[in-house]
Amino acid sequence: MKVNANLNDKVLMVTLEGEIDMSSSGSVWEAIAQFIEGKKPKAKACVVDLSQVSYMDSSGIATLVRTWQATKKNGGKMRLAALSAPVKDVFELAHVTEIFEIFPTVETALAGI
Amino acid sequence: MEGTGPKSEKLMVLLEVGRKLASNMDLDSLLELIIKQTTQVMNADRSSLFLVDKKTRELWSKIAEGTAEIRFPIGKGIAGYVAQTGEIINIPDAYADPRFNPEVDKKTGYRTKTILCVPLKTTDGEIVGVIQVLNKKGKGNIFTKEEDEAILLALAGQAAVAITNAIYHREVLAKQKMERDLQIARTVQESFLPQELPKKAGYQFESFYEAAQEVGGDFFDFIPVSEDHIGIIMGDVSGKGVPAALFMARMMSDFRFVSLTESEPKNILAKVNDMLVKRSQRGMFVTLVFILLDTLKRRITFSSAGHLPPLLVKADGATHRLEVEKGIPLGIAEGREFGQDSVPLDGGDAILLYTDGLLEARNASGKEFGFEKIEAALVKMAASNARQMKAYLLKLVTDFMGDTPQHDDLTFILIKVNKEKGSGEKITASSTKKRGKKSESISITVPSDPKFLSLVRKNVDAFIGELGYTEGERRKIVLAVDEATSNVIKYGYKGNTDKRIDFIIEADRENLVFKIRDYGATADVEKIKPRDLKDVRPGGLGTHFLHEVMDSVNYDTSLGVGTLLTLTKKLPQREEGL
């Protein structure tokens, strides 16, 4: 699993790659949390690119939910982009598709955030 | 019968008595019958019967009419004289005869007048006893030579044969009972001894048990206390036979039961001791040693109830007798405390548990095998594996004993700690595949470390790949197993990463079944119910996935330790017959 988090003009761009399970979701959260937690977070909005995720379990969803809650708390936004087939499956099972703002591509997600 | 009838009539009675006697195999009632019939047939006032006790050279009688059991040496008194010589004595006036002893009359107040005493001779001529009749009733009040002596002799002959048969019968019965008892005892005992040795990476276990002709009370057991603790018991019950075997069997289940709640060996001994005393089997007690082996930390904690100390042989050849204080045998006194000690183990160490059957094995000249020989054998074999140590020790003790019969059970356990700590210690991931005609299965074992989740997923995906599920279904099934495994790590093992998780995955014609076994905290089924879907909190979501993906989810927490989770998913419908 690889996680890449880049801050660009108060928008955090997160790219996840590989398998996200109990052994890796902790480091995903650590990589994101430093930008979105606290009273004055560095990032106001967050876009997560899920196109390269080959596997995600409930701990991955829990991490995304946490991210969403943290940004929302600070009046920010979180958008998910380009869900891979395994991610779509687990989102359906978890019934979280309606909760998140989901965009077909990173570009559309970034537009107007 | 009144008075003396014709001789032929008496002979008829005699034949009848003979038949009755021959059909009576119970010695006590036979003797009673002989006395009763003799008194009647002889028209006497009283009869007494004495049997020869060959061992003590005495005559004895349980039932002399009107008296208690009597014993006196052969040769003494009239009966003693008859038993010694085989002669017939017929005394018309007892008080005028110097051989008569009036002491008995004085004690009982009876007045002996006439006596007729004949030996009980078998057909081989062996005298097995004497019978005497007193105070002839009716005509002349005297026992006649031609009639009374002849009849009593005939009667005595029949009685002797009947008595010999009854004694023989009694001995056969006693022997059969003893053999049956021994067989039962052996069966009970052996059925309670462990049929398999524990399997634990990093350790070798060996045991030996050979019952003596007359079963002693040796026993041993391996108790899986937890995933990385094994309780090892070696002991000796005081009694023999069926009661001892049953006592032992019950006690062994006591140990297993108490070990579920108590983890300190000294407390386990104290509890089982109180249970045994309360059950109060008179005269039954047991010496034993209990070793708790922590396979992870490589340490033993041990306690003893008056048993011989286990021997610890270090890899460098140093030997230690593992002695603890305060050990009295179990089952004697309530509320006792037991000592306890603990020692670390190193790779290459070996521990021997044994009973006195090994220590006191004797050779032809009565010499005992002894500590020194055992210790020397273990030191010599310190670098060998457990199986080789066992073989060497056995050869040494059997060579020592030679042809001397084994007088006690020979029992011992050997535990050997492997040198390689790393590989022996850690649970390593492994998988085994089986393919039957109607089903296919795979067993996987992994440490409870999230790092291995990916490996579990790969195995599951590979296994279900050929079963006809769609790609989406496959992903969901893999996800469900992953979630179940994550739950085991999080809740069953509370995040400990060095525990063990076993999987069995099977597919038959209809179902795909996952069995996931852990040995940690028992799953609280109430807590792991699927969450309410509107609640988007993290956690609990995994359990929801299980129920969503699988057709059935079943938790079994009745196994003593840990949980067995069974997940079942129907196989995809095949278009058969088209």
Side-chain angles (χ1 to χ4, degrees), chain A residues 19 21-23 55-58 62 65 85-86 89-90 93-95 99, chain B residues 450 453-454 457 475 479 482-483 486 490 536 538 541 544-545 548-549:
Chain A
E19 301 187 326
D21 66 6
M22 194 185 169
S23 69
Y55 177 81
M56 181 182 278
D57 74 354
S58 65
V65 169
D89 282 348
V90 73
L93 274 178
H95 302 270
I99 296 170
Chain B
L453 286 170
S454 157
R457 291 197 297 268
R475 276 204 292 268
L479 175 72
D482 173 285
E483 297 290 352
S486 299
K490 260 188 283 184
V536 198
L541 189 57
H544 162 68
F545 289 173
E548 194 87 338
V549 174

PDB file of all heavy atoms in Angstrom, chain A residues 19 21-23 55-58 62 65 85-86 89-90 93-95 99, chain B residues 450 453-454 457 475 479 482-483 486 490 536 538 541 544-545 548-549:
ATOM      1  N   GLU A  19      -3.532  -2.210  -1.431  1.00  0.00           N
ATOM      2  CA  GLU A  19      -4.534  -2.817  -0.550  1.00  0.00           C
ATOM      3  C   GLU A  19      -4.639  -2.069   0.766  1.00  0.00           C
ATOM      4  O   GLU A  19      -3.646  -1.866   1.454  1.00  0.00           O
ATOM      5  CB  GLU A  19      -4.145  -4.275  -0.272  1.00  0.00           C
ATOM      6  CG  GLU A  19      -4.043  -5.128  -1.535  1.00  0.00           C
ATOM      7  CD  GLU A  19      -3.821  -6.596  -1.210  1.00  0.00           C
ATOM      8  OE1 GLU A  19      -3.140  -6.890  -0.206  1.00  0.00           O
ATOM      9  OE2 GLU A  19      -4.339  -7.439  -1.953  1.00  0.00           O
ATOM     10  N   ASP A  21      -6.129  -2.458   4.321  1.00  0.00           N
ATOM     11  CA  ASP A  21      -6.787  -3.329   5.302  1.00  0.00           C
ATOM     12  C   ASP A  21      -6.317  -2.915   6.697  1.00  0.00           C
ATOM     13  O   ASP A  21      -5.715  -1.859   6.868  1.00  0.00           O
ATOM     14  CB  ASP A  21      -6.512  -4.811   4.999  1.00  0.00           C
ATOM     15  CG  ASP A  21      -5.046  -5.192   5.171  1.00  0.00           C
ATOM     16  OD1 ASP A  21      -4.240  -4.345   5.635  1.00  0.00           O
ATOM     17  OD2 ASP A  21      -4.702  -6.341   4.837  1.00  0.00           O
ATOM     18  N   MET A  22      -6.562  -3.769   7.670  1.00  0.00           N
ATOM     19  CA  MET A  22      -6.244  -3.451   9.052  1.00  0.00           C
ATOM     20  C   MET A  22      -4.761  -3.122   9.257  1.00  0.00           C
ATOM     21  O   MET A  22      -4.400  -2.349  10.131  1.00  0.00           O
ATOM     22  CB  MET A  22      -6.629  -4.663   9.902  1.00  0.00           C
ATOM     23  CG  MET A  22      -6.680  -4.401  11.372  1.00  0.00           C
ATOM     24  SD  MET A  22      -7.014  -5.993  12.172  1.00  0.00           S
ATOM     25  CE  MET A  22      -6.710  -5.550  13.855  1.00  0.00           C
ATOM     26  N   SER A  23      -3.924  -3.726   8.415  1.00  0.00           N
ATOM     27  CA  SER A  23      -2.494  -3.507   8.619  1.00  0.00           C
ATOM     28  C   SER A  23      -2.020  -2.186   8.012  1.00  0.00           C
ATOM     29  O   SER A  23      -0.959  -1.694   8.373  1.00  0.00           O
ATOM     30  CB  SER A  23      -1.695  -4.670   8.020  1.00  0.00           C
ATOM     31  OG  SER A  23      -1.783  -4.636   6.607  1.00  0.00           O
ATOM     32  N   TYR A  55      -7.839  -3.151  -3.102  1.00  0.00           N
ATOM     33  CA  TYR A  55      -8.634  -3.803  -2.059  1.00  0.00           C
ATOM     34  C   TYR A  55      -8.875  -2.826  -0.929  1.00  0.00           C
ATOM     35  O   TYR A  55      -7.974  -2.079  -0.534  1.00  0.00           O
ATOM     36  CB  TYR A  55      -7.899  -5.039  -1.518  1.00  0.00           C
ATOM     37  CG  TYR A  55      -8.646  -5.726  -0.389  1.00  0.00           C
ATOM     38  CD1 TYR A  55      -9.693  -6.598  -0.665  1.00  0.00           C
ATOM     39  CD2 TYR A  55      -8.316  -5.466   0.943  1.00  0.00           C
ATOM     40  CE1 TYR A  55     -10.397  -7.197   0.371  1.00  0.00           C
ATOM     41  CE2 TYR A  55      -9.010  -6.062   1.975  1.00  0.00           C
ATOM     42  CZ  TYR A  55     -10.048  -6.924   1.682  1.00  0.00           C
ATOM     43  OH  TYR A  55     -10.746  -7.515   2.685  1.00  0.00           O
ATOM     44  N   MET A  56     -10.088  -2.853  -0.390  1.00  0.00           N
ATOM     45  CA  MET A  56     -10.367  -2.023   0.778  1.00  0.00           C
ATOM     46  C   MET A  56     -11.349  -2.767   1.680  1.00  0.00           C
ATOM     47  O   MET A  56     -12.315  -3.360   1.194  1.00  0.00           O
ATOM     48  CB  MET A  56     -10.967  -0.677   0.355  1.00  0.00           C
ATOM     49  CG  MET A  56     -11.245   0.238   1.555  1.00  0.00           C
ATOM     50  SD  MET A  56     -12.006   1.799   1.082  1.00  0.00           S
ATOM     51  CE  MET A  56     -10.562   2.724   0.597  1.00  0.00           C
ATOM     52  N   ASP A  57     -11.072  -2.748   2.971  1.00  0.00           N
ATOM     53  CA  ASP A  57     -12.000  -3.402   3.904  1.00  0.00           C
ATOM     54  C   ASP A  57     -12.634  -2.351   4.815  1.00  0.00           C
ATOM     55  O   ASP A  57     -12.518  -1.160   4.562  1.00  0.00           O
ATOM     56  CB  ASP A  57     -11.281  -4.502   4.702  1.00  0.00           C
ATOM     57  CG  ASP A  57     -10.354  -3.944   5.766  1.00  0.00           C
ATOM     58  OD1 ASP A  57     -10.166  -2.710   5.819  1.00  0.00           O
ATOM     59  OD2 ASP A  57      -9.824  -4.749   6.553  1.00  0.00           O
ATOM     60  N   SER A  58     -13.289  -2.785   5.864  1.00  0.00           N
ATOM     61  CA  SER A  58     -14.038  -1.856   6.710  1.00  0.00           C
ATOM     62  C   SER A  58     -13.122  -0.859   7.413  1.00  0.00           C
ATOM     63  O   SER A  58     -13.539   0.248   7.713  1.00  0.00           O
ATOM     64  CB  SER A  58     -14.850  -2.630   7.744  1.00  0.00           C
ATOM     65  OG  SER A  58     -13.987  -3.319   8.627  1.00  0.00           O
ATOM     66  N   ALA A  62     -13.618   3.049   7.482  1.00  0.00           N
ATOM     67  CA  ALA A  62     -13.584   3.779   8.749  1.00  0.00           C
ATOM     68  C   ALA A  62     -12.639   4.975   8.645  1.00  0.00           C
ATOM     69  O   ALA A  62     -12.938   6.059   9.159  1.00  0.00           O
ATOM     70  CB  ALA A  62     -13.141   2.842   9.877  1.00  0.00           C
ATOM     71  N   VAL A  65     -14.346   7.654   6.660  1.00  0.00           N
ATOM     72  CA  VAL A  65     -15.403   8.271   7.465  1.00  0.00           C
ATOM     73  C   VAL A  65     -14.792   9.264   8.450  1.00  0.00           C
ATOM     74  O   VAL A  65     -15.296  10.380   8.626  1.00  0.00           O
ATOM     75  CB  VAL A  65     -16.246   7.197   8.202  1.00  0.00           C
ATOM     76  CG1 VAL A  65     -17.165   7.849   9.239  1.00  0.00           C
ATOM     77  CG2 VAL A  65     -17.069   6.389   7.220  1.00  0.00           C
ATOM     78  N   ALA A  85     -13.224  -0.823  -8.885  1.00  0.00           N
ATOM     79  CA  ALA A  85     -14.300  -1.804  -8.690  1.00  0.00           C
ATOM     80  C   ALA A  85     -14.334  -2.373  -7.264  1.00  0.00           C
ATOM     81  O   ALA A  85     -15.414  -2.454  -6.661  1.00  0.00           O
ATOM     82  CB  ALA A  85     -14.174  -2.922  -9.727  1.00  0.00           C
ATOM     83  N   PRO A  86     -13.191  -2.765  -6.677  1.00  0.00           N
ATOM     84  CA  PRO A  86     -13.240  -3.288  -5.302  1.00  0.00           C
ATOM     85  C   PRO A  86     -13.776  -2.256  -4.317  1.00  0.00           C
ATOM     86  O   PRO A  86     -14.487  -2.614  -3.379  1.00  0.00           O
ATOM     87  CB  PRO A  86     -11.769  -3.610  -4.997  1.00  0.00           C
ATOM     88  CG  PRO A  86     -11.119  -3.776  -6.316  1.00  0.00           C
ATOM     89  CD  PRO A  86     -11.840  -2.860  -7.264  1.00  0.00           C
ATOM     90  N   ASP A  89     -17.562  -2.035  -4.613  1.00  0.00           N
ATOM     91  CA  ASP A  89     -18.192  -3.185  -3.937  1.00  0.00           C
ATOM     92  C   ASP A  89     -18.345  -2.960  -2.440  1.00  0.00           C
ATOM     93  O   ASP A  89     -19.415  -3.161  -1.869  1.00  0.00           O
ATOM     94  CB  ASP A  89     -17.338  -4.445  -4.137  1.00  0.00           C
ATOM     95  CG  ASP A  89     -17.534  -5.043  -5.516  1.00  0.00           C
ATOM     96  OD1 ASP A  89     -18.484  -4.623  -6.212  1.00  0.00           O
ATOM     97  OD2 ASP A  89     -16.736  -5.928  -5.882  1.00  0.00           O
ATOM     98  N   VAL A  90     -17.261  -2.559  -1.830  1.00  0.00           N
ATOM     99  CA  VAL A  90     -17.289  -2.427  -0.372  1.00  0.00           C
ATOM    100  C   VAL A  90     -18.146  -1.219   0.035  1.00  0.00           C
ATOM    101  O   VAL A  90     -18.816  -1.252   1.069  1.00  0.00           O
ATOM    102  CB  VAL A  90     -15.853  -2.397   0.221  1.00  0.00           C
ATOM    103  CG1 VAL A  90     -15.172  -1.078  -0.063  1.00  0.00           C
ATOM    104  CG2 VAL A  90     -15.864  -2.678   1.711  1.00  0.00           C
ATOM    105  N   LEU A  93     -21.705  -2.482  -0.006  1.00  0.00           N
ATOM    106  CA  LEU A  93     -21.967  -3.318   1.172  1.00  0.00           C
ATOM    107  C   LEU A  93     -22.151  -2.470   2.426  1.00  0.00           C
ATOM    108  O   LEU A  93     -22.968  -2.775   3.284  1.00  0.00           O
ATOM    109  CB  LEU A  93     -20.791  -4.275   1.408  1.00  0.00           C
ATOM    110  CG  LEU A  93     -20.800  -5.600   0.668  1.00  0.00           C
ATOM    111  CD1 LEU A  93     -19.522  -6.358   1.007  1.00  0.00           C
ATOM    112  CD2 LEU A  93     -22.014  -6.433   1.065  1.00  0.00           C
ATOM    113  N   ALA A  94     -21.373  -1.422   2.521  1.00  0.00           N
ATOM    114  CA  ALA A  94     -21.400  -0.592   3.723  1.00  0.00           C
ATOM    115  C   ALA A  94     -22.484   0.483   3.659  1.00  0.00           C
ATOM    116  O   ALA A  94     -22.710   1.182   4.642  1.00  0.00           O
ATOM    117  CB  ALA A  94     -20.035   0.058   3.930  1.00  0.00           C
ATOM    118  N   HIS A  95     -23.142   0.602   2.495  1.00  0.00           N
ATOM    119  CA  HIS A  95     -24.181   1.621   2.293  1.00  0.00           C
ATOM    120  C   HIS A  95     -23.651   3.012   2.589  1.00  0.00           C
ATOM    121  O   HIS A  95     -24.309   3.801   3.262  1.00  0.00           O
ATOM    122  CB  HIS A  95     -25.414   1.337   3.164  1.00  0.00           C
ATOM    123  CG  HIS A  95     -26.011  -0.017   2.895  1.00  0.00           C
ATOM    124  ND1 HIS A  95     -26.984  -0.217   1.943  1.00  0.00           N
ATOM    125  CD2 HIS A  95     -25.739  -1.227   3.428  1.00  0.00           C
ATOM    126  CE1 HIS A  95     -27.288  -1.510   1.930  1.00  0.00           C
ATOM    127  NE2 HIS A  95     -26.551  -2.139   2.815  1.00  0.00           N
ATOM    128  N   ILE A  99     -23.483   8.820   1.534  1.00  0.00           N
ATOM    129  CA  ILE A  99     -22.866   9.742   2.492  1.00  0.00           C
ATOM    130  C   ILE A  99     -21.791  10.597   1.830  1.00  0.00           C
ATOM    131  O   ILE A  99     -21.708  11.803   2.040  1.00  0.00           O
ATOM    132  CB  ILE A  99     -22.240   8.958   3.668  1.00  0.00           C
ATOM    133  CG1 ILE A  99     -23.341   8.236   4.449  1.00  0.00           C
ATOM    134  CG2 ILE A  99     -21.468   9.889   4.603  1.00  0.00           C
ATOM    135  CD1 ILE A  99     -22.796   7.263   5.463  1.00  0.00           C
TER     136      ILE A  99
ATOM    137  N   PRO B 450      -1.970  -8.415  11.528  1.00  0.00           N
ATOM    138  CA  PRO B 450      -2.632  -7.872  10.327  1.00  0.00           C
ATOM    139  C   PRO B 450      -1.769  -8.009   9.069  1.00  0.00           C
ATOM    140  O   PRO B 450      -2.298  -8.051   7.970  1.00  0.00           O
ATOM    141  CB  PRO B 450      -2.846  -6.396  10.680  1.00  0.00           C
ATOM    142  CG  PRO B 450      -2.872  -6.347  12.158  1.00  0.00           C
ATOM    143  CD  PRO B 450      -1.972  -7.440  12.635  1.00  0.00           C
ATOM    144  N   LEU B 453      -2.988 -10.644   6.779  1.00  0.00           N
ATOM    145  CA  LEU B 453      -4.330 -10.592   6.197  1.00  0.00           C
ATOM    146  C   LEU B 453      -4.277 -10.760   4.681  1.00  0.00           C
ATOM    147  O   LEU B 453      -5.101 -11.451   4.082  1.00  0.00           O
ATOM    148  CB  LEU B 453      -5.000  -9.257   6.545  1.00  0.00           C
ATOM    149  CG  LEU B 453      -5.487  -9.111   7.987  1.00  0.00           C
ATOM    150  CD1 LEU B 453      -5.898  -7.676   8.261  1.00  0.00           C
ATOM    151  CD2 LEU B 453      -6.651 -10.061   8.248  1.00  0.00           C
ATOM    152  N   SER B 454      -3.277 -10.124   4.092  1.00  0.00           N
ATOM    153  CA  SER B 454      -3.137 -10.182   2.646  1.00  0.00           C
ATOM    154  C   SER B 454      -2.916 -11.630   2.178  1.00  0.00           C
ATOM    155  O   SER B 454      -3.463 -12.063   1.165  1.00  0.00           O
ATOM    156  CB  SER B 454      -1.983  -9.270   2.264  1.00  0.00           C
ATOM    157  OG  SER B 454      -1.451  -9.647   1.045  1.00  0.00           O
ATOM    158  N   ARG B 457      -6.155 -13.458   2.316  1.00  0.00           N
ATOM    159  CA  ARG B 457      -6.990 -13.083   1.166  1.00  0.00           C
ATOM    160  C   ARG B 457      -6.555 -13.817  -0.101  1.00  0.00           C
ATOM    161  O   ARG B 457      -7.379 -14.329  -0.853  1.00  0.00           O
ATOM    162  CB  ARG B 457      -6.921 -11.564   0.939  1.00  0.00           C
ATOM    163  CG  ARG B 457      -7.610 -10.763   2.022  1.00  0.00           C
ATOM    164  CD  ARG B 457      -7.873  -9.331   1.563  1.00  0.00           C
ATOM    165  NE  ARG B 457      -6.663  -8.583   1.277  1.00  0.00           N
ATOM    166  CZ  ARG B 457      -6.000  -7.818   2.167  1.00  0.00           C
ATOM    167  NH1 ARG B 457      -6.451  -7.719   3.398  1.00  0.00           N
ATOM    168  NH2 ARG B 457      -4.920  -7.174   1.814  1.00  0.00           N
ATOM    169  N   ARG B 475     -14.865 -10.994  -4.655  1.00  0.00           N
ATOM    170  CA  ARG B 475     -14.300  -9.901  -3.858  1.00  0.00           C
ATOM    171  C   ARG B 475     -15.004  -9.775  -2.514  1.00  0.00           C
ATOM    172  O   ARG B 475     -14.377  -9.551  -1.485  1.00  0.00           O
ATOM    173  CB  ARG B 475     -14.417  -8.587  -4.640  1.00  0.00           C
ATOM    174  CG  ARG B 475     -13.285  -8.383  -5.623  1.00  0.00           C
ATOM    175  CD  ARG B 475     -13.081  -6.918  -5.920  1.00  0.00           C
ATOM    176  NE  ARG B 475     -14.192  -6.330  -6.655  1.00  0.00           N
ATOM    177  CZ  ARG B 475     -14.251  -6.247  -7.989  1.00  0.00           C
ATOM    178  NH1 ARG B 475     -13.262  -6.720  -8.726  1.00  0.00           N
ATOM    179  NH2 ARG B 475     -15.277  -5.696  -8.574  1.00  0.00           N
ATOM    180  N   LEU B 479     -13.492 -10.310   1.157  1.00  0.00           N
ATOM    181  CA  LEU B 479     -13.658  -9.221   2.119  1.00  0.00           C
ATOM    182  C   LEU B 479     -14.222  -9.739   3.445  1.00  0.00           C
ATOM    183  O   LEU B 479     -13.729  -9.401   4.526  1.00  0.00           O
ATOM    184  CB  LEU B 479     -14.594  -8.155   1.538  1.00  0.00           C
ATOM    185  CG  LEU B 479     -14.962  -7.003   2.478  1.00  0.00           C
ATOM    186  CD1 LEU B 479     -13.771  -6.077   2.688  1.00  0.00           C
ATOM    187  CD2 LEU B 479     -16.155  -6.212   1.948  1.00  0.00           C
ATOM    188  N   ASP B 482     -11.658 -11.613   5.416  1.00  0.00           N
ATOM    189  CA  ASP B 482     -10.700 -10.622   5.916  1.00  0.00           C
ATOM    190  C   ASP B 482     -11.268  -9.913   7.142  1.00  0.00           C
ATOM    191  O   ASP B 482     -10.591  -9.740   8.159  1.00  0.00           O
ATOM    192  CB  ASP B 482     -10.416  -9.625   4.782  1.00  0.00           C
ATOM    193  CG  ASP B 482      -9.555  -8.461   5.240  1.00  0.00           C
ATOM    194  OD1 ASP B 482     -10.087  -7.580   5.939  1.00  0.00           O
ATOM    195  OD2 ASP B 482      -8.357  -8.429   4.904  1.00  0.00           O
ATOM    196  N   GLU B 483     -12.527  -9.527   7.079  1.00  0.00           N
ATOM    197  CA  GLU B 483     -13.159  -8.829   8.201  1.00  0.00           C
ATOM    198  C   GLU B 483     -13.237  -9.733   9.434  1.00  0.00           C
ATOM    199  O   GLU B 483     -12.990  -9.304  10.554  1.00  0.00           O
ATOM    200  CB  GLU B 483     -14.571  -8.367   7.828  1.00  0.00           C
ATOM    201  CG  GLU B 483     -14.630  -7.357   6.689  1.00  0.00           C
ATOM    202  CD  GLU B 483     -14.093  -5.984   7.084  1.00  0.00           C
ATOM    203  OE1 GLU B 483     -13.815  -5.756   8.280  1.00  0.00           O
ATOM    204  OE2 GLU B 483     -13.948  -5.136   6.179  1.00  0.00           O
ATOM    205  N   SER B 486      -9.823  -9.933  10.881  1.00  0.00           N
ATOM    206  CA  SER B 486      -9.496  -8.676  11.570  1.00  0.00           C
ATOM    207  C   SER B 486     -10.174  -8.622  12.937  1.00  0.00           C
ATOM    208  O   SER B 486      -9.578  -8.198  13.925  1.00  0.00           O
ATOM    209  CB  SER B 486      -9.968  -7.477  10.738  1.00  0.00           C
ATOM    210  OG  SER B 486      -9.314  -7.461   9.493  1.00  0.00           O
ATOM    211  N   LYS B 490      -8.505  -8.104  16.563  1.00  0.00           N
ATOM    212  CA  LYS B 490      -8.895  -6.966  17.389  1.00  0.00           C
ATOM    213  C   LYS B 490      -9.544  -7.382  18.701  1.00  0.00           C
ATOM    214  O   LYS B 490      -9.180  -6.905  19.759  1.00  0.00           O
ATOM    215  CB  LYS B 490      -9.903  -6.091  16.618  1.00  0.00           C
ATOM    216  CG  LYS B 490      -9.273  -4.863  15.987  1.00  0.00           C
ATOM    217  CD  LYS B 490     -10.352  -3.945  15.407  1.00  0.00           C
ATOM    218  CE  LYS B 490     -10.867  -4.488  14.087  1.00  0.00           C
ATOM    219  NZ  LYS B 490     -11.833  -3.611  13.416  1.00  0.00           N
ATOM    220  N   VAL B 536     -22.972   5.412  11.157  1.00  0.00           N
ATOM    221  CA  VAL B 536     -21.820   5.275  10.280  1.00  0.00           C
ATOM    222  C   VAL B 536     -20.500   5.286  11.056  1.00  0.00           C
ATOM    223  O   VAL B 536     -19.450   5.503  10.498  1.00  0.00           O
ATOM    224  CB  VAL B 536     -21.836   6.382   9.188  1.00  0.00           C
ATOM    225  CG1 VAL B 536     -20.935   5.994   8.035  1.00  0.00           C
ATOM    226  CG2 VAL B 536     -23.246   6.576   8.677  1.00  0.00           C
ATOM    227  N   PRO B 538     -17.175   4.079  12.680  1.00  0.00           N
ATOM    228  CA  PRO B 538     -16.290   2.965  12.346  1.00  0.00           C
ATOM    229  C   PRO B 538     -16.431   1.840  13.374  1.00  0.00           C
ATOM    230  O   PRO B 538     -16.861   2.080  14.485  1.00  0.00           O
ATOM    231  CB  PRO B 538     -14.882   3.569  12.428  1.00  0.00           C
ATOM    232  CG  PRO B 538     -15.042   5.016  12.672  1.00  0.00           C
ATOM    233  CD  PRO B 538     -16.437   5.282  13.079  1.00  0.00           C
ATOM    234  N   LEU B 541     -18.600  -2.501  11.565  1.00  0.00           N
ATOM    235  CA  LEU B 541     -18.936  -2.560  10.153  1.00  0.00           C
ATOM    236  C   LEU B 541     -18.535  -3.910   9.557  1.00  0.00           C
ATOM    237  O   LEU B 541     -19.260  -4.489   8.755  1.00  0.00           O
ATOM    238  CB  LEU B 541     -18.193  -1.420   9.437  1.00  0.00           C
ATOM    239  CG  LEU B 541     -18.542  -1.142   7.992  1.00  0.00           C
ATOM    240  CD1 LEU B 541     -20.017  -0.840   7.839  1.00  0.00           C
ATOM    241  CD2 LEU B 541     -17.716   0.037   7.478  1.00  0.00           C
ATOM    242  N   HIS B 544     -21.032  -6.505  10.095  1.00  0.00           N
ATOM    243  CA  HIS B 544     -22.149  -6.283   9.176  1.00  0.00           C
ATOM    244  C   HIS B 544     -21.839  -6.903   7.806  1.00  0.00           C
ATOM    245  O   HIS B 544     -22.691  -7.549   7.195  1.00  0.00           O
ATOM    246  CB  HIS B 544     -22.408  -4.782   9.046  1.00  0.00           C
ATOM    247  CG  HIS B 544     -23.203  -4.409   7.844  1.00  0.00           C
ATOM    248  ND1 HIS B 544     -24.533  -4.756   7.705  1.00  0.00           N
ATOM    249  CD2 HIS B 544     -22.861  -3.763   6.697  1.00  0.00           C
ATOM    250  CE1 HIS B 544     -24.968  -4.333   6.532  1.00  0.00           C
ATOM    251  NE2 HIS B 544     -23.969  -3.729   5.909  1.00  0.00           N
ATOM    252  N   PHE B 545     -20.601  -6.751   7.362  1.00  0.00           N
ATOM    253  CA  PHE B 545     -20.203  -7.345   6.081  1.00  0.00           C
ATOM    254  C   PHE B 545     -20.376  -8.860   6.082  1.00  0.00           C
ATOM    255  O   PHE B 545     -20.846  -9.445   5.115  1.00  0.00           O
ATOM    256  CB  PHE B 545     -18.734  -7.027   5.767  1.00  0.00           C
ATOM    257  CG  PHE B 545     -18.480  -5.587   5.411  1.00  0.00           C
ATOM    258  CD1 PHE B 545     -17.189  -5.124   5.245  1.00  0.00           C
ATOM    259  CD2 PHE B 545     -19.534  -4.704   5.218  1.00  0.00           C
ATOM    260  CE1 PHE B 545     -16.940  -3.801   4.904  1.00  0.00           C
ATOM    261  CE2 PHE B 545     -19.296  -3.375   4.883  1.00  0.00           C
ATOM    262  CZ  PHE B 545     -17.992  -2.924   4.736  1.00  0.00           C
ATOM    263  N   GLU B 548     -23.902  -9.675   5.636  1.00  0.00           N
ATOM    264  CA  GLU B 548     -24.365  -9.257   4.322  1.00  0.00           C
ATOM    265  C   GLU B 548     -23.904 -10.248   3.240  1.00  0.00           C
ATOM    266  O   GLU B 548     -24.654 -10.603   2.355  1.00  0.00           O
ATOM    267  CB  GLU B 548     -23.819  -7.850   4.027  1.00  0.00           C
ATOM    268  CG  GLU B 548     -24.469  -7.181   2.868  1.00  0.00           C
ATOM    269  CD  GLU B 548     -25.732  -6.425   3.276  1.00  0.00           C
ATOM    270  OE1 GLU B 548     -26.333  -6.735   4.335  1.00  0.00           O
ATOM    271  OE2 GLU B 548     -26.119  -5.524   2.551  1.00  0.00           O
ATOM    272  N   VAL B 549     -22.657 -10.683   3.344  1.00  0.00           N
ATOM    273  CA  VAL B 549     -22.058 -11.507   2.288  1.00  0.00           C
ATOM    274  C   VAL B 549     -22.392 -12.991   2.449  1.00  0.00           C
ATOM    275  O   VAL B 549     -22.678 -13.680   1.472  1.00  0.00           O
ATOM    276  CB  VAL B 549     -20.522 -11.316   2.268  1.00  0.00           C
ATOM    277  CG1 VAL B 549     -19.870 -12.267   1.289  1.00  0.00           C
ATOM    278  CG2 VAL B 549     -20.170  -9.870   1.952  1.00  0.00           C
TER     279      VAL B 549
END
